[in-house]
Amino acid sequence: MKKNPQNGSAKPRIIRRANHNVTRSEFPKSALKVLYRLDKAGYQAFLVGGCVRDSILELHPKDFDVATNATPEEVKALFGNCRLIGRRFRLAHVRFGREIIEVATFRASANHDHDDHASDHEGRILRDNVYGTIDEDVWRRDFTCNALYYNIADFSIWDYTGGFDDIKQKKIVLIGDPEVRMREDPVRMLRAVRFAAKLGFEIDGPVIRAIDHHAHLLPNVPAARLFDEFLKLFQAGNAERTFDLLRDHGLFREIFPATCEELDRDADFMRFTRAALRNTDRRVEEGKSVTPMFLLGVFLWLPVKKLAAVRRSEEKMSESQSLALAAYEVVAQQQRRISIPKRFTVPMREMLSLQPRFEFRRGKRAMKLLDHRRFRAAYDFMLLRTEVGQGNPEVAQFWTDVQMQSAAERAASFQLRPQAPGKKRRPRRRRRRKASPES
Ligand code: ATP
Ligand code: MG
């Protein structure tokens, strides 16, 4: 068995129900059902990870992970509403209406001594798929605060790594040697920052040092994995704090290099970015929807604007066209770090390239902007630019006002010429638009 002399022993400290505050009433019926049924069938059944951590902190957890010594097939045999997912490592998903409870079988670390291909030359884990016992499973987890197991058999908490005390002391501590663990999976650096921002915890000194040493390994992480992480970093209600911590620890430049360069040079861009982050946090707090394309558009705005100016100097084109073209190029660069799905990049380019159109306030074409499917996002973006002094307040007010006006008032606002009665205008032939590079 793999013991960890640094952070704990192979024997857990068992915190009895009377000595902790985690109550079953915090957990949804579905999760409890899964746990009880596993227990009744003679298996070990624990809640683990974020839900135990958040319950201790009275933060009302939202997702519930179950860990067990039953194999995925054994779990499936117990639940009719169960699907096995994952090719590399099988997980059981037990479904209750729209809710899914993920049930994972304990895993052991792969034995790297006998498998040359389990990690890359930097030490990053590539394969990791052996079933194990709870006292093997625990050492694979990242932080001590994420490695507590709530036992449904007697409602105790099992703590192998000192996580319970670390939570009380509000500390983010890595299990094992921080240098090794960060090399194994550089995403843990982002997770350290995310939990510090979310929980208001302090990152332990050795973890900070390991981040300093290994921040440059983040670009080795597959870009596909980082989009999910991006969402968790910036849409969980602590975007501004997360942003500051990422910058403090040299991580932001690894995931948004072009943005970072401009932020260092341009105080206005920094103000704009901050306003957007605060705006996102406010929306999350108010329970409003947030779309990643807005913040991505903000992060990439100055790089896009600058490149658009270059493209315009090389070839004759409208400002909107140059912004669309530049956004395409800048997004392509950004995709190397974080792969952003097309359903976000396409509207984001539209949102950015619509910006110059707010300047035009006369005529039918100007008015048509109101019907554009990206009007709302582009308008919000323009308001934010104006809020930080990068737009004309009069223009912003105009577009705010026209949205409330009646058709007749609108026609007057846009100074449309009244049509002579009875006289039909010949329909204008539409010119075919050039196909855009991405659509
Ligand atoms: P939250 O759900 O609030 O984001 P969480 O701790 O539940 O936080 P998840 O990403 O849901 O985070 O992961 C569940 C658990 O799996 C974690 O608590 C941790 O024990 C383990 N884990 C997740 N990612 C890693 C990783 N990169 N390295 C090691 N362990 C991990
Ligand atoms: Mg979780």
Side-chain angles (χ1 to χ4, degrees):
M1 182 177 26
K2 194 171 169 186
K3 286 192 187 149
N4 193 311
Q6 262 192 348
N7 291 75
S9 68
K11 278 245 176 301
R13 168 185 169 200
I14 293 180
I15 302 151
R16 303 262 161 237
R17 175 64 190 93
N19 300 322
H20 67 72
N21 62 336
V22 176
T23 86
R24 267 167 304 157
S25 60
E26 271 292 312
F27 303 138
K29 280 209 181 74
S30 50
L32 292 170
K33 241 185 197 160
V34 171
L35 291 163
Y36 283 132
R37 194 171 304 173
L38 284 165
D39 181 65
K40 232 172 129 189
Y43 299 108
Q44 288 181 306
F46 296 87
L47 279 174
V48 64
C51 63
V52 182
R53 177 198 67 216
D54 289 352
S55 300
I56 292 173
L57 292 165
E58 293 174 5
L59 283 179
H60 312 301
K62 48 188 173 9
D63 82 320
F64 298 86
D65 297 316
V66 171
T68 179
N69 59 352
T71 64
E73 288 71 21
E74 287 168 334
V75 176
K76 190 168 169 56
L78 282 181
F79 297 95
N81 46 344
C82 174
R83 238 164 41 98
L84 299 189
I85 61 146
R87 262 176 305 149
R88 195 176 66 96
F89 202 89
R90 310 204 89 189
L91 289 170
H93 275 183
V94 186
R95 182 179 282 279
F96 297 87
R98 290 180 57 198
E99 235 182 308
I100 289 178
I101 301 295
E102 191 170 285
V103 182
T105 305
F106 297 135
R107 289 185 226 178
S109 302
N111 188 341
H112 299 268
D113 303 341
H114 298 290
D115 185 352
D116 294 340
H117 306 293
S119 55
D120 70 7
H121 63 280
E122 312 267 22
R124 185 163 63 92
I125 290 185
L126 303 175
R127 257 186 292 123
D128 185 10
N129 48 4
V130 195
Y131 296 134
T133 57
I134 182 169
D135 47 28
E136 292 170 310
D137 187 86
V138 62
W139 308 112
R140 299 176 51 265
R141 299 191 176 268
D142 47 5
F143 303 103
T144 59
C145 61
N146 287 346
L148 295 170
Y149 296 78
Y150 173 86
N151 186 3
I152 200 65
D154 62 1
F155 317 126
S156 63
I157 292 174
W158 290 24
D159 180 6
Y160 287 84
T161 65
F164 195 72
D165 288 342
D166 288 339
I167 290 178
K168 299 284 173 207
Q169 290 174 35
K170 297 184 170 290
K171 277 197 326 203
I172 304 283
V173 180
L174 251 175
I175 297 171
D177 178 351
E179 303 284 326
V180 175
R181 301 300 314 282
M182 290 307 192
R183 272 201 299 274
E184 276 177 3
D185 182 5
V187 171
R188 291 175 186 147
M189 297 188 270
L190 300 178
R191 289 174 60 86
V193 162
R194 174 154 73 82
F195 295 128
K198 168 180 164 170
L199 308 171
F201 280 22
E202 197 133 330
I203 306 177
D204 198 30
V207 180
I208 293 179
R209 281 193 289 285
I211 294 176
D212 286 347
H213 297 155
H214 300 304
H216 68 281
L217 296 180
L218 262 181
N220 295 355
V221 175
R225 218 182 133 197
L226 288 188
F227 184 69
D228 261 359
E229 207 51 44
F230 167 82
L231 298 181
K232 290 186 184 171
L233 286 164
F234 290 105
Q235 301 201 352
N238 321 288
E240 195 183 12
R241 207 158 1 140
T242 304
F243 171 78
D244 283 332
L245 284 176
L246 286 174
R247 276 170 51 81
D248 289 350
H249 294 290
L251 296 169
F252 193 74
R253 81 171 52 252
E254 302 297 339
I255 49 176
F256 285 102
T259 308
C260 194
E261 215 173 284
E262 298 302 343
L263 285 171
D264 289 341
R265 272 205 287 254
D266 191 318
D268 285 343
F269 184 46
M270 179 60 97
R271 279 199 303 134
F272 176 53
T273 305
R274 276 198 187 286
L277 291 162
R278 241 172 269 148
N279 190 44
T280 303
D281 286 344
R282 203 175 320 125
R283 287 187 68 95
V284 173
E285 200 182 317
E286 290 166 1
K288 291 186 183 158
S289 67
V290 285
T291 155
M293 73 109 169
F294 193 82
L295 213 46
L296 285 166
V298 169
F299 284 169
L300 300 181
W301 175 234
L302 195 52
V304 167
K305 223 166 81 163
K306 284 191 157 176
L307 185 62
V310 174
R311 293 290 171 262
R312 221 161 39 247
S313 71
E314 293 165 348
E315 204 184 319
K316 199 168 167 345
M317 60 178 106
S318 75
E319 206 180 339
S320 283
Q321 282 169 328
S322 71
L323 284 168
L325 182 64
Y328 184 74
E329 291 181 47
V330 169
V331 167
Q333 283 294 324
Q334 182 57 45
Q335 300 278 27
R336 294 184 183 182
R337 301 295 166 103
I338 301 180
S339 71
I340 310 159
K342 236 178 171 176
R343 66 179 186 281
F344 300 120
T345 59
V346 173
M348 187 195 93
R349 283 175 60 220
E350 287 177 341
M351 176 178 81
L352 299 187
S353 61
L354 285 179
Q355 294 306 306
R357 284 192 45 191
F358 288 104
E359 300 297 327
F360 302 104
R361 287 177 278 164
R362 280 179 67 173
K364 242 187 171 156
R365 186 173 139 75
M367 192 168 82
K368 265 180 110 174
L369 182 56
L370 286 167
D371 301 326
H372 195 288
R373 58 186 172 155
R374 227 48 80 188
F375 172 79
R376 187 70 219 182
Y379 165 77
D380 286 343
F381 195 91
M382 181 271 292
L383 278 190
L384 201 68
R385 287 200 295 123
T386 310
E387 204 183 294
V388 296
Q390 291 177 26
N392 179 350
E394 205 186 301
V395 169
Q397 193 58 51
F398 173 88
W399 287 99
T400 304
D401 293 342
V402 290
Q403 288 178 68
M404 330 271 209
Q405 291 171 348
S406 67
E409 288 168 332
R410 246 184 217 175
S413 293
F414 286 96
Q415 302 180 28
L416 302 189
R417 262 176 292 152
Q419 256 183 46
K423 202 174 166 191
K424 268 216 172 119
R425 278 229 263 153
R426 211 157 32 100
R428 236 183 356 139
R429 263 211 290 158
R430 274 177 84 99
R431 258 190 301 151
R432 265 228 219 135
R433 260 198 287 162
K434 261 200 224 157
S436 70
E438 179 191 351
S439 51

PDB file of all heavy atoms in Angstrom, residues 49-51 53-54 62-63 65 140-142 146-147 181 185 187-188 191 194-195 198 225 232, ligand 1:
ATOM      1  N   GLY A  49     -15.075  14.413  -1.311  1.00  0.00           N
ATOM      2  CA  GLY A  49     -14.681  15.577  -2.123  1.00  0.00           C
ATOM      3  C   GLY A  49     -15.405  16.843  -1.723  1.00  0.00           C
ATOM      4  O   GLY A  49     -15.710  17.075  -0.555  1.00  0.00           O
ATOM      5  N   GLY A  50     -15.725  17.621  -2.760  1.00  0.00           N
ATOM      6  CA  GLY A  50     -16.266  18.969  -2.553  1.00  0.00           C
ATOM      7  C   GLY A  50     -17.506  19.015  -1.675  1.00  0.00           C
ATOM      8  O   GLY A  50     -17.683  19.961  -0.902  1.00  0.00           O
ATOM      9  N   CYS A  51     -18.358  17.987  -1.762  1.00  0.00           N
ATOM     10  CA  CYS A  51     -19.615  18.076  -0.995  1.00  0.00           C
ATOM     11  C   CYS A  51     -19.361  17.945   0.507  1.00  0.00           C
ATOM     12  O   CYS A  51     -20.041  18.598   1.301  1.00  0.00           O
ATOM     13  CB  CYS A  51     -20.644  17.071  -1.504  1.00  0.00           C
ATOM     14  SG  CYS A  51     -20.158  15.362  -1.335  1.00  0.00           S
ATOM     15  N   ARG A  53     -16.455  18.785   1.994  1.00  0.00           N
ATOM     16  CA  ARG A  53     -15.757  20.045   2.322  1.00  0.00           C
ATOM     17  C   ARG A  53     -16.766  21.187   2.494  1.00  0.00           C
ATOM     18  O   ARG A  53     -16.750  21.897   3.497  1.00  0.00           O
ATOM     19  CB  ARG A  53     -14.783  20.358   1.165  1.00  0.00           C
ATOM     20  CG  ARG A  53     -14.016  21.654   1.291  1.00  0.00           C
ATOM     21  CD  ARG A  53     -13.463  22.060  -0.084  1.00  0.00           C
ATOM     22  NE  ARG A  53     -14.543  22.415  -1.002  1.00  0.00           N
ATOM     23  CZ  ARG A  53     -14.543  22.147  -2.304  1.00  0.00           C
ATOM     24  NH1 ARG A  53     -13.554  21.518  -2.866  1.00  0.00           N
ATOM     25  NH2 ARG A  53     -15.572  22.515  -3.058  1.00  0.00           N
ATOM     26  N   ASP A  54     -17.641  21.343   1.504  1.00  0.00           N
ATOM     27  CA  ASP A  54     -18.586  22.460   1.545  1.00  0.00           C
ATOM     28  C   ASP A  54     -19.592  22.307   2.688  1.00  0.00           C
ATOM     29  O   ASP A  54     -20.018  23.304   3.270  1.00  0.00           O
ATOM     30  CB  ASP A  54     -19.308  22.607   0.202  1.00  0.00           C
ATOM     31  CG  ASP A  54     -18.374  23.124  -0.894  1.00  0.00           C
ATOM     32  OD1 ASP A  54     -17.223  23.503  -0.566  1.00  0.00           O
ATOM     33  OD2 ASP A  54     -18.778  23.159  -2.072  1.00  0.00           O
ATOM     34  N   LYS A  62     -23.426  21.526  -4.106  1.00  0.00           N
ATOM     35  CA  LYS A  62     -24.386  21.299  -5.190  1.00  0.00           C
ATOM     36  C   LYS A  62     -24.144  19.982  -5.919  1.00  0.00           C
ATOM     37  O   LYS A  62     -25.076  19.403  -6.433  1.00  0.00           O
ATOM     38  CB  LYS A  62     -24.390  22.471  -6.163  1.00  0.00           C
ATOM     39  CG  LYS A  62     -22.990  22.848  -6.551  1.00  0.00           C
ATOM     40  CD  LYS A  62     -22.887  24.099  -7.339  1.00  0.00           C
ATOM     41  CE  LYS A  62     -21.452  24.532  -7.569  1.00  0.00           C
ATOM     42  NZ  LYS A  62     -20.361  23.614  -7.188  1.00  0.00           N
ATOM     43  N   ASP A  63     -22.882  19.528  -5.983  1.00  0.00           N
ATOM     44  CA  ASP A  63     -22.746  18.207  -6.617  1.00  0.00           C
ATOM     45  C   ASP A  63     -22.163  17.196  -5.641  1.00  0.00           C
ATOM     46  O   ASP A  63     -21.391  17.535  -4.761  1.00  0.00           O
ATOM     47  CB  ASP A  63     -22.046  18.286  -7.971  1.00  0.00           C
ATOM     48  CG  ASP A  63     -20.543  18.327  -7.897  1.00  0.00           C
ATOM     49  OD1 ASP A  63     -20.012  19.012  -7.000  1.00  0.00           O
ATOM     50  OD2 ASP A  63     -19.898  17.673  -8.698  1.00  0.00           O
ATOM     51  N   ASP A  65     -20.506  13.486  -4.956  1.00  0.00           N
ATOM     52  CA  ASP A  65     -19.762  12.352  -5.497  1.00  0.00           C
ATOM     53  C   ASP A  65     -19.729  11.234  -4.481  1.00  0.00           C
ATOM     54  O   ASP A  65     -19.375  11.446  -3.318  1.00  0.00           O
ATOM     55  CB  ASP A  65     -18.333  12.783  -5.845  1.00  0.00           C
ATOM     56  CG  ASP A  65     -18.320  13.841  -6.940  1.00  0.00           C
ATOM     57  OD1 ASP A  65     -19.070  13.665  -7.917  1.00  0.00           O
ATOM     58  OD2 ASP A  65     -17.590  14.837  -6.802  1.00  0.00           O
ATOM     59  N   ARG A 140      -4.589   9.807  -4.103  1.00  0.00           N
ATOM     60  CA  ARG A 140      -4.680  10.308  -5.480  1.00  0.00           C
ATOM     61  C   ARG A 140      -5.383  11.658  -5.528  1.00  0.00           C
ATOM     62  O   ARG A 140      -5.350  12.343  -6.529  1.00  0.00           O
ATOM     63  CB  ARG A 140      -5.486   9.336  -6.346  1.00  0.00           C
ATOM     64  CG  ARG A 140      -4.906   7.948  -6.465  1.00  0.00           C
ATOM     65  CD  ARG A 140      -5.839   7.073  -7.265  1.00  0.00           C
ATOM     66  NE  ARG A 140      -6.197   7.713  -8.534  1.00  0.00           N
ATOM     67  CZ  ARG A 140      -7.274   8.445  -8.747  1.00  0.00           C
ATOM     68  NH1 ARG A 140      -8.149   8.656  -7.792  1.00  0.00           N
ATOM     69  NH2 ARG A 140      -7.498   8.974  -9.919  1.00  0.00           N
ATOM     70  N   ARG A 141      -6.061  12.007  -4.464  1.00  0.00           N
ATOM     71  CA  ARG A 141      -6.832  13.259  -4.466  1.00  0.00           C
ATOM     72  C   ARG A 141      -5.892  14.446  -4.354  1.00  0.00           C
ATOM     73  O   ARG A 141      -4.732  14.288  -3.991  1.00  0.00           O
ATOM     74  CB  ARG A 141      -7.864  13.219  -3.351  1.00  0.00           C
ATOM     75  CG  ARG A 141      -8.812  12.073  -3.594  1.00  0.00           C
ATOM     76  CD  ARG A 141     -10.029  12.041  -2.749  1.00  0.00           C
ATOM     77  NE  ARG A 141     -10.834  10.928  -3.223  1.00  0.00           N
ATOM     78  CZ  ARG A 141     -11.782  11.042  -4.161  1.00  0.00           C
ATOM     79  NH1 ARG A 141     -12.087  12.216  -4.659  1.00  0.00           N
ATOM     80  NH2 ARG A 141     -12.430   9.982  -4.592  1.00  0.00           N
ATOM     81  N   ASP A 142      -6.394  15.626  -4.689  1.00  0.00           N
ATOM     82  CA  ASP A 142      -5.473  16.755  -4.762  1.00  0.00           C
ATOM     83  C   ASP A 142      -5.192  17.394  -3.401  1.00  0.00           C
ATOM     84  O   ASP A 142      -4.095  17.294  -2.867  1.00  0.00           O
ATOM     85  CB  ASP A 142      -5.930  17.784  -5.811  1.00  0.00           C
ATOM     86  CG  ASP A 142      -7.399  18.157  -5.725  1.00  0.00           C
ATOM     87  OD1 ASP A 142      -8.089  17.697  -4.787  1.00  0.00           O
ATOM     88  OD2 ASP A 142      -7.863  18.927  -6.594  1.00  0.00           O
ATOM     89  N   ASN A 146     -10.145  18.270   0.145  1.00  0.00           N
ATOM     90  CA  ASN A 146     -10.983  17.527  -0.808  1.00  0.00           C
ATOM     91  C   ASN A 146     -10.912  16.019  -0.577  1.00  0.00           C
ATOM     92  O   ASN A 146     -11.386  15.247  -1.400  1.00  0.00           O
ATOM     93  CB  ASN A 146     -10.512  17.798  -2.245  1.00  0.00           C
ATOM     94  CG  ASN A 146     -10.870  19.187  -2.704  1.00  0.00           C
ATOM     95  OD1 ASN A 146     -11.682  19.855  -2.070  1.00  0.00           O
ATOM     96  ND2 ASN A 146     -10.268  19.624  -3.795  1.00  0.00           N
ATOM     97  N   ALA A 147     -10.258  15.616   0.496  1.00  0.00           N
ATOM     98  CA  ALA A 147      -9.992  14.182   0.680  1.00  0.00           C
ATOM     99  C   ALA A 147     -10.670  13.644   1.935  1.00  0.00           C
ATOM    100  O   ALA A 147     -10.153  12.747   2.586  1.00  0.00           O
ATOM    101  CB  ALA A 147      -8.480  13.950   0.732  1.00  0.00           C
ATOM    102  N   ARG A 181       3.234  16.535  -7.247  1.00  0.00           N
ATOM    103  CA  ARG A 181       1.798  16.530  -7.543  1.00  0.00           C
ATOM    104  C   ARG A 181       1.419  17.569  -8.597  1.00  0.00           C
ATOM    105  O   ARG A 181       0.498  17.374  -9.373  1.00  0.00           O
ATOM    106  CB  ARG A 181       0.979  16.760  -6.258  1.00  0.00           C
ATOM    107  CG  ARG A 181       1.174  15.762  -5.141  1.00  0.00           C
ATOM    108  CD  ARG A 181       0.856  14.323  -5.427  1.00  0.00           C
ATOM    109  NE  ARG A 181      -0.361  13.938  -6.114  1.00  0.00           N
ATOM    110  CZ  ARG A 181      -1.579  13.861  -5.587  1.00  0.00           C
ATOM    111  NH1 ARG A 181      -1.794  14.163  -4.324  1.00  0.00           N
ATOM    112  NH2 ARG A 181      -2.596  13.447  -6.310  1.00  0.00           N
ATOM    113  N   ASP A 185      -0.124  16.713 -12.527  1.00  0.00           N
ATOM    114  CA  ASP A 185      -1.316  17.297 -13.128  1.00  0.00           C
ATOM    115  C   ASP A 185      -1.327  18.810 -12.896  1.00  0.00           C
ATOM    116  O   ASP A 185      -1.772  19.292 -11.850  1.00  0.00           O
ATOM    117  CB  ASP A 185      -2.585  16.666 -12.533  1.00  0.00           C
ATOM    118  CG  ASP A 185      -3.841  17.230 -13.181  1.00  0.00           C
ATOM    119  OD1 ASP A 185      -3.710  18.025 -14.142  1.00  0.00           O
ATOM    120  OD2 ASP A 185      -4.952  16.892 -12.734  1.00  0.00           O
ATOM    121  N   VAL A 187      -3.183  21.055 -13.820  1.00  0.00           N
ATOM    122  CA  VAL A 187      -4.496  21.672 -13.571  1.00  0.00           C
ATOM    123  C   VAL A 187      -4.692  21.924 -12.070  1.00  0.00           C
ATOM    124  O   VAL A 187      -5.433  22.815 -11.663  1.00  0.00           O
ATOM    125  CB  VAL A 187      -5.631  20.779 -14.127  1.00  0.00           C
ATOM    126  CG1 VAL A 187      -7.003  21.287 -13.696  1.00  0.00           C
ATOM    127  CG2 VAL A 187      -5.564  20.749 -15.648  1.00  0.00           C
ATOM    128  N   ARG A 188      -3.983  21.156 -11.257  1.00  0.00           N
ATOM    129  CA  ARG A 188      -4.097  21.357  -9.804  1.00  0.00           C
ATOM    130  C   ARG A 188      -3.700  22.771  -9.399  1.00  0.00           C
ATOM    131  O   ARG A 188      -4.161  23.282  -8.384  1.00  0.00           O
ATOM    132  CB  ARG A 188      -3.238  20.327  -9.066  1.00  0.00           C
ATOM    133  CG  ARG A 188      -3.817  18.932  -9.208  1.00  0.00           C
ATOM    134  CD  ARG A 188      -2.929  17.856  -8.591  1.00  0.00           C
ATOM    135  NE  ARG A 188      -3.482  16.539  -8.894  1.00  0.00           N
ATOM    136  CZ  ARG A 188      -2.760  15.451  -9.082  1.00  0.00           C
ATOM    137  NH1 ARG A 188      -1.435  15.506  -8.998  1.00  0.00           N
ATOM    138  NH2 ARG A 188      -3.351  14.312  -9.365  1.00  0.00           N
ATOM    139  N   ARG A 191      -6.756  24.690  -9.778  1.00  0.00           N
ATOM    140  CA  ARG A 191      -7.701  24.285  -8.730  1.00  0.00           C
ATOM    141  C   ARG A 191      -7.336  24.908  -7.388  1.00  0.00           C
ATOM    142  O   ARG A 191      -8.212  25.338  -6.638  1.00  0.00           O
ATOM    143  CB  ARG A 191      -7.767  22.753  -8.637  1.00  0.00           C
ATOM    144  CG  ARG A 191      -8.479  22.110  -9.840  1.00  0.00           C
ATOM    145  CD  ARG A 191      -8.416  20.588  -9.819  1.00  0.00           C
ATOM    146  NE  ARG A 191      -9.014  19.965  -8.654  1.00  0.00           N
ATOM    147  CZ  ARG A 191     -10.315  19.655  -8.532  1.00  0.00           C
ATOM    148  NH1 ARG A 191     -11.155  19.906  -9.516  1.00  0.00           N
ATOM    149  NH2 ARG A 191     -10.761  19.086  -7.437  1.00  0.00           N
ATOM    150  N   ARG A 194      -8.606  28.319  -7.513  1.00  0.00           N
ATOM    151  CA  ARG A 194     -10.060  28.346  -7.534  1.00  0.00           C
ATOM    152  C   ARG A 194     -10.626  28.121  -6.133  1.00  0.00           C
ATOM    153  O   ARG A 194     -11.519  28.846  -5.687  1.00  0.00           O
ATOM    154  CB  ARG A 194     -10.579  27.258  -8.491  1.00  0.00           C
ATOM    155  CG  ARG A 194     -12.072  27.094  -8.488  1.00  0.00           C
ATOM    156  CD  ARG A 194     -12.536  26.537  -9.799  1.00  0.00           C
ATOM    157  NE  ARG A 194     -12.222  25.133  -9.976  1.00  0.00           N
ATOM    158  CZ  ARG A 194     -12.957  24.145  -9.475  1.00  0.00           C
ATOM    159  NH1 ARG A 194     -14.020  24.412  -8.738  1.00  0.00           N
ATOM    160  NH2 ARG A 194     -12.614  22.895  -9.706  1.00  0.00           N
ATOM    161  N   PHE A 195     -10.093  27.140  -5.425  1.00  0.00           N
ATOM    162  CA  PHE A 195     -10.620  26.875  -4.085  1.00  0.00           C
ATOM    163  C   PHE A 195     -10.246  28.008  -3.130  1.00  0.00           C
ATOM    164  O   PHE A 195     -11.040  28.374  -2.264  1.00  0.00           O
ATOM    165  CB  PHE A 195     -10.118  25.521  -3.568  1.00  0.00           C
ATOM    166  CG  PHE A 195     -10.637  24.355  -4.367  1.00  0.00           C
ATOM    167  CD1 PHE A 195      -9.782  23.398  -4.892  1.00  0.00           C
ATOM    168  CD2 PHE A 195     -12.003  24.225  -4.620  1.00  0.00           C
ATOM    169  CE1 PHE A 195     -10.262  22.327  -5.641  1.00  0.00           C
ATOM    170  CE2 PHE A 195     -12.500  23.163  -5.373  1.00  0.00           C
ATOM    171  CZ  PHE A 195     -11.624  22.210  -5.880  1.00  0.00           C
ATOM    172  N   LYS A 198     -12.760  30.701  -3.904  1.00  0.00           N
ATOM    173  CA  LYS A 198     -14.132  30.339  -3.537  1.00  0.00           C
ATOM    174  C   LYS A 198     -14.312  30.263  -2.027  1.00  0.00           C
ATOM    175  O   LYS A 198     -15.307  30.730  -1.485  1.00  0.00           O
ATOM    176  CB  LYS A 198     -14.485  28.993  -4.186  1.00  0.00           C
ATOM    177  CG  LYS A 198     -15.766  28.379  -3.664  1.00  0.00           C
ATOM    178  CD  LYS A 198     -16.087  27.038  -4.320  1.00  0.00           C
ATOM    179  CE  LYS A 198     -17.130  26.312  -3.486  1.00  0.00           C
ATOM    180  NZ  LYS A 198     -17.683  25.130  -4.124  1.00  0.00           N
ATOM    181  N   ARG A 225      -9.353  20.184 -21.923  1.00  0.00           N
ATOM    182  CA  ARG A 225      -9.612  20.047 -20.491  1.00  0.00           C
ATOM    183  C   ARG A 225      -9.753  21.413 -19.819  1.00  0.00           C
ATOM    184  O   ARG A 225     -10.393  21.539 -18.778  1.00  0.00           O
ATOM    185  CB  ARG A 225      -8.431  19.300 -19.866  1.00  0.00           C
ATOM    186  CG  ARG A 225      -8.858  18.349 -18.789  1.00  0.00           C
ATOM    187  CD  ARG A 225      -7.693  17.649 -18.144  1.00  0.00           C
ATOM    188  NE  ARG A 225      -7.832  17.685 -16.698  1.00  0.00           N
ATOM    189  CZ  ARG A 225      -6.848  17.449 -15.868  1.00  0.00           C
ATOM    190  NH1 ARG A 225      -5.642  17.167 -16.326  1.00  0.00           N
ATOM    191  NH2 ARG A 225      -7.058  17.513 -14.566  1.00  0.00           N
ATOM    192  N   LYS A 232     -15.372  26.961 -14.491  1.00  0.00           N
ATOM    193  CA  LYS A 232     -15.411  26.877 -13.023  1.00  0.00           C
ATOM    194  C   LYS A 232     -14.671  28.062 -12.394  1.00  0.00           C
ATOM    195  O   LYS A 232     -15.045  28.535 -11.331  1.00  0.00           O
ATOM    196  CB  LYS A 232     -14.787  25.573 -12.556  1.00  0.00           C
ATOM    197  CG  LYS A 232     -15.632  24.358 -12.890  1.00  0.00           C
ATOM    198  CD  LYS A 232     -15.022  23.124 -12.267  1.00  0.00           C
ATOM    199  CE  LYS A 232     -15.745  21.861 -12.638  1.00  0.00           C
ATOM    200  NZ  LYS A 232     -14.999  20.679 -12.187  1.00  0.00           N
TER     201      LYS A 232
HETATM  202  P1  ATP B   1     -16.355  21.670  -6.787  1.00  0.00           P
HETATM  203  O1  ATP B   1     -17.338  20.618  -7.173  1.00  0.00           O
HETATM  204  O2  ATP B   1     -16.811  22.650  -5.777  1.00  0.00           O
HETATM  205  O3  ATP B   1     -15.713  22.302  -7.945  1.00  0.00           O
HETATM  206  P2  ATP B   1     -14.759  19.427  -5.967  1.00  0.00           P
HETATM  207  O4  ATP B   1     -13.679  19.316  -4.937  1.00  0.00           O
HETATM  208  O5  ATP B   1     -15.953  18.549  -5.778  1.00  0.00           O
HETATM  209  O6  ATP B   1     -15.141  20.940  -6.030  1.00  0.00           O
HETATM  210  P3  ATP B   1     -14.470  18.116  -8.486  1.00  0.00           P
HETATM  211  O7  ATP B   1     -13.789  18.623  -9.707  1.00  0.00           O
HETATM  212  O8  ATP B   1     -15.941  17.882  -8.491  1.00  0.00           O
HETATM  213  O9  ATP B   1     -14.083  19.148  -7.336  1.00  0.00           O
HETATM  214  O10 ATP B   1     -13.717  16.791  -8.066  1.00  0.00           O
HETATM  215  C1  ATP B   1     -14.185  15.909  -7.057  1.00  0.00           C
HETATM  216  C2  ATP B   1     -13.016  15.364  -6.246  1.00  0.00           C
HETATM  217  O11 ATP B   1     -12.118  14.637  -7.080  1.00  0.00           O
HETATM  218  C3  ATP B   1     -12.141  16.436  -5.611  1.00  0.00           C
HETATM  219  O12 ATP B   1     -12.652  16.873  -4.377  1.00  0.00           O
HETATM  220  C4  ATP B   1     -10.820  15.718  -5.467  1.00  0.00           C
HETATM  221  O13 ATP B   1     -10.808  14.891  -4.340  1.00  0.00           O
HETATM  222  C5  ATP B   1     -10.771  14.858  -6.702  1.00  0.00           C
HETATM  223  N1  ATP B   1     -10.074  15.540  -7.819  1.00  0.00           N
HETATM  224  C6  ATP B   1     -10.645  16.294  -8.793  1.00  0.00           C
HETATM  225  N2  ATP B   1      -9.727  16.760  -9.667  1.00  0.00           N
HETATM  226  C7  ATP B   1      -8.543  16.296  -9.232  1.00  0.00           C
HETATM  227  C8  ATP B   1      -7.199  16.417  -9.715  1.00  0.00           C
HETATM  228  N3  ATP B   1      -6.912  17.140 -10.800  1.00  0.00           N
HETATM  229  N4  ATP B   1      -6.223  15.775  -9.031  1.00  0.00           N
HETATM  230  C9  ATP B   1      -6.526  15.035  -7.934  1.00  0.00           C
HETATM  231  N5  ATP B   1      -7.746  14.896  -7.449  1.00  0.00           N
HETATM  232  C10 ATP B   1      -8.762  15.502  -8.066  1.00  0.00           C
END
